Amino acid sequence: MGKTLLEVKGLTTKYITRFHENVYAVDNVSFAVEEGKSLGIAGESGCGKSTLALSLMGYYFPPLHYMSGDILIDGRNISGMAPDDVRLHILGAEIAYIPQAAMNALNPTQKIIRFIEDVILAHDPKMGKKDIYDLARKRFEILNLPADVLQKHAVELSGGMKQRTVIAISTILSPKVLIADEPSSALDVSSQRVVIKMLRDLMEMGYIKCMIFITHELPLLYNVTDDIAVMYAGQFVEKGTAKEMVFDPLHPYSKGLMESIIVPESGTRDIKLSAIPGTPPNLKNPPSGCRFAERCRYVTPMCAASSVRFLDVAGERNYRCILPEEKLREVYGRA
């Protein structure tokens, strides 16, 4: 086993609405990512993926609030740090973030080099502008971006170039952990492939030590990450290797995600397309038992009545269901 760079223990965060209602978007989530490895997180919209990404950075803005749990980056617990300390010492250098809709994240009134200067000078105020420019130029070359992009505004760039520019800015300080929140969702297939290859190349070259890749498309993660966790209603419901999760999902929700998407991978052509009925539960008042019970095709009377913990199956394979593996495979075989 490699060195653990990111370890999350029992993380719980919530939103507080203007009516003082609590929405537990991340509920007792635990996992770890080793150096050189990548973890994919999949699930429908509204299941807590992006909230988890924001929570992992330890920098909370209302209405998002930290409740409990630990976030350790290379052994350093950032969950109790003051926001200013997190901003000055953690964000960008220890953990970095590629936001959703990254193509719209750039201020159209500033040149690209100004964004990079802001990031670097926040952590190293003594660094000269020439050194910053040289560092940025070299990183842009790695991402197949010409140096003249640094002197351009965002409106002068294509969608793919904007995405690569945001990746370059987010990784300019070579963070230990990179969180990529659906970085390819607004791109065409060719541009998606380019972005994914670039992220993998940055990891191989050591500019990123480990990565979390978030998407609602579980099959996409097969070509991006080493492991996959499926998130539903604020909780992880299954975690395993990318191969296990794409070709042999155990949890009914994971299986439903796979069956609802056309997958080009060989060995998946016999999977019949079907939709998951209903929508995720309201997290202001989540069900007391299995949170997927109301939508599950294989529900039993015990499911809605029992709180289900995250079960160990074998090694790193985990899932949250009261049915044992043998029973799940039996009902899948009859379906």
Side-chain angles (χ1 to χ4, degrees), residues 295-310:
R295 305 175 68 191
C296 184
R297 288 178 288 175
Y298 313 106
V299 65
T300 70
M302 295 175 58
C303 298
S306 304
S307 179
V308 188
R309 64 186 181 89
F310 207 38

Side-chain angles (χ1 to χ4, degrees), residues 27-57:
D27 190 357
N28 195 26
V29 170
S30 300
F31 64 93
V33 185
E34 297 177 0
E35 184 173 359
K37 298 293 184 179
S38 54
L39 171 69
I41 300 177
E44 294 169 284
S45 296
C47 285
K49 304 185 304 299
S50 292
T51 303
L52 175 60
L54 295 174
S55 301
L56 291 177
M57 294 186 292

